[in-house]
Amino acid sequence: MRIKPAVLLLLSGLLPALPALAGDSAALYQKHCAACHGSERLGGTGPALLPENLGRLRPGEAARVIADGRPATQMPAFAGQLAATEIEQLQKYIYAPPAVSPRWERADIEASRIEHADVRKLPHKPSFAADPMNLFVVVESGDHHVSILDGDKLEPIHRFPSRFALHGGPKFSPDGRFVYFASRDGWITKYDIWNLTPVAEVRAGINTRNAAVSADGKYVAVANYLPHSLVILDSDLKPVRVLPVADIDGKKTSRVSAVYDAAPRQSFVAALKDVEEVWEISYNPTHPDIPAGMIHDFQYKEGAFIPGFLNPQRTKVEDYLDDFFFTQDYNDLMGASRQGGRGQVINLDARRKVAELQLPGMPHLGSGITWAWQGRTVMATPNLNEGLVSVIDTATWQTLRSIPTLGPGFFMRSHENSRYAWTDSMMSREHKDTLQVIDKEKLEVVARLRPVPGKTLAHVEFTRDGRYVLASLWERKAAGGALIVYDAQTLQEVKRIPMDKPVGKYNLHNKITRSEGTSH
């Protein structure tokens, strides 16, 4: 990798003195890796190399990347420079936790911000003829790019490079002009869809789970695993608030599993990984103060209060909630329990559990959808451990049906104009290549689609009108990776759009209007 001399000079001033022993793992890292991945493994031009950031990369694969490089990135091959024992040393070193937990504070966030364009000087209208509300944003992880797809013509109109390992799904501004991406390394990117250009970037954390955009478009919330923080940015990606995440006594800190926008409530809601609480953070400047200690009189505010704006309201829960699903009014959330076989319903107004759910296996509630069935609203969720879809009555919280599928799945989608719900079995080795189509009235699988045997087929999304369904063939472009377009009524294949491992695609209209057929 070629590094500018000025960058090398800057880095050399930051690096600690290297150990004398040439074979030492830390010395090997500083010599061969630090210039791109940071002296403390926090990332730079390359991704962070910490155990939390390498969760999806097995040690054996990491050793191969060190030896052979990574295609479509700046990662070079070191097999010609390092012995096999040295590669093994480096692999072990990057999977070892650092002696001191890394910090990433407001000053670090502010210093990391990059401004690519002045929005005020950009045209305030789309630069293309396609319907701006029927676009798809397609994340291609094969070579770390994003494509903008015309949902009417079903053709790409632009493609651009992204940060490494986008995570958590892109989020949109209310008018559909801007899309915000979060990378696993904590980089948040604001991209102007109308002008097809990046606007700004900032590093909000070291290991990030996802981001959410407020319904008024003014704020972006970022959920971090590392450090244990919830970061609130303004729409220009400047930090407004950095909330350390800990229990009410401040004794136990927590990773943030996810953060979502609860638009009708004008708030963000966060799931915590290590503390049995759910946090709600209002972005309404007039939100009432929050009691934070002993209270003598609520009416006269005699006692301990904190401002209600951008501060957490805590709801105690009976078990950790890694993931959850909102009801359509956003007053209740459904969370799965780590114990398996059960879950809990939390009312955000009462701030307590109001019902218990019977949920076998490990439901993926973050991918749940709703629809009207026989005069009631039902919610359906795929399952990460078992081949079934659970259908739950959101009025009684009873499980109405467990629909058998070919194997554990990750994603589920539908549309208001479609009679069908689609789910995959991508967690199954034998049936990862098959999509199952569920009749929403009969509550049973009525079709199975297996266009390319042996290849992973997952993550469907509907066009704005619900006429077509786009499914991801999760392969590199050279191996046939593509979006497969189906007619949503006949279930027949319409066309294929070549893509480089399209792990997800997101329709602007469906996301912005919070369609009942897509996750929020």
Side-chain angles (χ1 to χ4, degrees):
M1 180 181 300
R2 298 180 64 87
I3 305 295
K4 295 179 180 179
V7 176
L8 284 173
L9 183 62
L10 174 64
L11 288 168
S12 65
L14 296 176
L15 299 184
L18 301 184
L21 183 60
D24 181 80
S25 300
L28 283 170
Y29 176 86
Q30 296 297 340
K31 180 178 180 180
H32 298 286
C33 313
C36 293
H37 298 281
S39 61
E40 297 180 2
R41 296 189 281 159
L42 301 186
T45 56
L49 298 180
L50 296 167
E52 295 90 342
N53 297 65
L54 296 169
R56 294 190 177 184
L57 185 69
R58 295 181 179 179
E61 177 62 23
R64 283 191 291 273
V65 171
I66 296 170
D68 303 330
R70 185 186 285 272
T73 73
Q74 296 179 11
M75 175 67 189
F78 285 95
Q81 303 177 49
L82 300 174
T85 54
E86 292 175 313
I87 291 175
E88 183 180 0
Q89 278 183 280
L90 279 175
Q91 172 228 290
K92 291 180 178 178
Y93 181 73
I94 64 176
Y95 279 90
V100 179
S101 182
R103 300 165 65 92
W104 197 256
E105 300 174 339
R106 181 166 181 156
D108 302 302
I109 298 171
E110 291 173 343
S112 73
R113 187 177 180 275
I114 305 168
E115 186 166 314
H116 296 288
D118 187 342
V119 172
R120 297 169 298 179
K121 297 179 181 179
L122 296 174
H124 195 68
K125 60 180 181 179
S127 60
F128 43 82
D131 177 0
M133 292 299 286
N134 194 28
L135 299 176
F136 287 83
V137 171
V138 186
V139 175
E140 299 177 68
S141 70
D143 61 353
H144 308 291
H145 275 68
V146 173
S147 286
I148 306 296
L149 182 75
D150 183 336
D152 292 312
K153 294 183 178 180
L154 298 173
E155 297 175 353
I157 62 176
H158 188 63
R159 191 171 189 264
F160 58 93
S162 72
R163 287 281 176 176
F164 179 81
L166 298 186
H167 191 58
K171 302 299 188 297
F172 301 96
S173 62
D175 59 2
R177 176 176 176 177
F178 301 106
V179 58
Y180 296 84
F181 301 99
S183 81
R184 187 176 292 278
D185 283 342
W187 282 99
I188 308 300
T189 303
K190 179 181 181 179
Y191 187 86
D192 186 339
I193 299 174
W194 292 0
N195 291 287
L196 301 175
T197 184
V199 174
E201 294 182 287
V202 72
R203 194 176 190 189
I206 298 170
N207 183 283
T208 292
R209 302 306 294 171
N210 78 320
V213 176
S214 62
D216 59 11
K218 294 181 179 180
Y219 301 100
V220 180
V222 183
N224 287 325
Y225 258 23
L226 188 67
H228 295 176
S229 66
L230 185 67
V231 176
I232 309 295
L233 309 168
D234 66 16
S235 61
D236 293 323
L237 301 188
K238 297 176 182 177
V240 176
R241 197 77 194 277
V242 178
L243 295 169
V245 179
D247 61 15
I248 195 167
D249 298 320
K251 295 180 179 179
K252 184 178 183 180
T253 64
S254 177
R255 295 166 288 177
V256 184
S257 299
V259 62
Y260 302 99
D261 176 53
R265 303 178 64 83
Q266 294 182 279
S267 66
F268 295 116
V269 179
L272 307 187
K273 185 81 171 178
D274 310 301
V275 171
E276 294 172 321
E277 294 178 1
V278 170
W279 280 17
E280 182 172 15
I281 300 96
S282 176
Y283 49 78
N284 178 359
T286 64
H287 190 278
D289 289 348
I290 301 169
M294 296 295 294
I295 305 299
H296 176 66
D297 191 306
F298 273 93
Q299 182 178 359
Y300 295 102
K301 292 188 178 179
E302 294 178 357
F305 288 85
I306 59 174
F309 178 57
L310 298 185
N311 272 315
Q313 284 188 289
R314 303 167 185 265
T315 298
K316 184 69 176 175
V317 293
E318 294 182 357
D319 196 4
Y320 304 98
L321 296 184
D322 290 343
D323 194 21
F324 51 75
F325 175 87
F326 287 108
T327 52
Q328 285 291 325
D329 60 10
Y330 285 81
N331 288 332
D332 296 288
L333 60 86
M334 305 161 62
S337 169
R338 293 183 190 173
Q339 299 175 12
R342 57 185 290 269
Q344 49 189 317
V345 180
I346 307 299
N347 183 273
L348 290 174
D349 289 327
R351 305 208 173 278
R352 62 180 178 85
K353 187 180 90 169
V354 294
E356 192 162 299
L357 301 169
Q358 298 302 313
L359 289 171
M362 186 183 294
H364 186 207
L365 294 173
S367 190
I369 61 174
T370 62
W371 66 81
W373 182 77
Q374 297 186 3
R376 67 188 83 178
T377 298
V378 299
M379 176 268 191
T381 175
N383 200 292
L384 300 174
N385 280 354
E386 298 187 20
L388 60 86
V389 167
S390 298
V391 181
I392 297 167
D393 186 332
T394 60
T396 65
W397 307 113
Q398 299 300 307
T399 300
L400 298 172
R401 192 76 55 87
S402 292
I403 303 173
T405 61
L406 291 174
F410 200 87
F411 298 107
M412 191 169 188
R413 290 290 188 270
S414 186
H415 191 278
E416 290 84 349
N417 296 334
S418 175
R419 63 181 289 187
Y420 300 122
W422 299 54
T423 191
D424 58 60
S425 294
M426 67 171 293
M427 311 299 286
S428 164
R429 179 174 298 181
E430 298 83 2
H431 302 293
K432 64 181 182 179
D433 55 5
T434 305
L435 289 175
Q436 290 127 116
V437 182
I438 295 171
D439 187 303
K440 294 194 294 188
E441 183 59 33
K442 296 179 180 178
L443 301 184
E444 62 183 37
V445 174
V446 294
R448 294 187 175 92
L449 306 176
R450 189 172 179 248
V452 186
K455 302 295 186 180
T456 300
L457 187 65
H459 194 279
V460 308
E461 181 75 294
F462 283 72
T463 53
R464 173 177 179 170
D465 57 8
R467 182 179 178 185
Y468 297 108
V469 177
L470 281 64
S472 291
L473 193 59
W474 284 34
E475 300 293 333
R476 295 299 306 268
K477 193 173 184 177
L483 298 181
I484 302 181
V485 182
Y486 290 97
D487 184 297
Q489 292 188 357
T490 67
L491 310 184
Q492 297 300 306
E493 182 176 330
V494 175
K495 68 182 298 186
R496 296 192 186 189
I497 307 169
M499 293 280 173
D500 201 334
K501 199 174 183 181
V503 294
K505 74 216 69 66
Y506 309 87
N507 181 271
L508 266 73
H509 178 268
N510 293 345
K511 288 296 184 182
I512 291 170
T513 61
R514 295 176 172 79
S515 164
E516 67 179 25
T518 188
S519 59
H520 303 166

